[in-house]
Amino acid sequence: MTDHDPTSPTHMPSPAQIREVLTLLPLLAAYFQRARHDMSAEFYEAFRTHGLTARHGAVLGHLLADRSLSVTELSRRMGLSLSTTSELVGDLSRAGWVERREDPADRRRTLVSMMEEHRPAMEEFVARRSAPLLHVLDGLSPRDRQGFVAGLTAWAHEVRDWQGAVP
């Protein structure tokens, strides 16, 4: 690793980078912590009653975009183990938010779909939560939008794979 490698444990951000991050991260953290306030009463109550978390919501988000996915595909997309994903799907099934069925093309696969009666609540939630990001993206040039999405994607993958500082 070189001194310029940002993944190096010895890499130290500049004072300007530290100030920028210290300004931005609390704003983003507050946004993510307010998610429950953007849920409809029905949506919030279902999550509270059944002990569902943001990870369960992420499963529903994937099922909103793609009406039916295998548990394996959900696991891959979310960067979670197959057993963790199966557990999340089981929780959502017991809460009445998803249904599982055998894939007619391959009986070894289980397909998961969101229950249609819950789709409007999830659509409303996703629209409300994505509005600030979509507004920002609309204001960017195509080149800046591409760079922003590339940076956000890289950051998301880094956060997902990050193990923290290793002594």
Side-chain angles (χ1 to χ4, degrees), residues 54-72:
R55 279 187 163 181
H56 294 94
V59 170
L60 294 173
H62 284 285
L63 295 175
L64 186 62
D66 293 292
R67 288 192 173 271
S68 183
L69 292 170
S70 70
V71 175
T72 302

Side-chain angles (χ1 to χ4, degrees), residues 8 25 40 45 54 70 72 79 81 84 96 100-102 106 119 128 140 144 147 158 162 165:
S8 168
L25 288 182
S40 68
E45 187 58 27
S70 70
T72 302
S81 70
T84 298
R100 295 179 281 188
R101 68 184 191 297
E102 186 179 273
D106 181 351
R119 189 167 288 280
R128 191 173 301 145
L140 297 176
D144 287 348
E158 182 68 22
W162 186 62

Side-chain angles (χ1 to χ4, degrees), residues 3 42 65 74 127 148 150 153 163:
D3 290 294
E42 168 207 3
L74 273 169
F148 180 85
T153 300
Q163 299 298 311

Side-chain angles (χ1 to χ4, degrees), residues 92-113:
L92 286 165
S93 178
R94 284 185 291 283
W97 277 77
V98 301
E99 66 176 337
R100 295 179 281 188
R101 68 184 191 297
E102 186 179 273
D103 182 349
D106 181 351
R107 292 184 168 177
R108 295 170 296 172
R109 290 178 8 136
T110 299
L111 296 177
V112 182
S113 302

Side-chain angles (χ1 to χ4, degrees), residues 32-44:
F32 287 110
Q33 291 169 351
R34 286 192 318 259
R36 67 184 175 104
H37 299 293
D38 288 330
M39 293 177 166
S40 68
E42 168 207 3
F43 197 11
Y44 176 73

Side-chain angles (χ1 to χ4, degrees), residues 93-149:
S93 178
R94 284 185 291 283
W97 277 77
V98 301
E99 66 176 337
R100 295 179 281 188
R101 68 184 191 297
E102 186 179 273
D103 182 349
D106 181 351
R107 292 184 168 177
R108 295 170 296 172
R109 290 178 8 136
T110 299
L111 296 177
V112 182
S113 302
M114 187 183 320
M115 301 295 285
E116 285 302 315
E117 64 264 23
H118 297 301
R119 189 167 288 280
M122 189 62 187
E123 287 172 346
E124 177 186 330
F125 175 72
V126 168
R128 191 173 301 145
R129 294 296 293 167
S130 62
L133 178 59
L134 294 176
H135 181 77
V136 166
L137 290 173
D138 283 345
L140 297 176
S141 69
R143 182 173 181 224
D144 287 348
R145 186 178 310 120
Q146 184 179 8
F148 180 85
V149 171

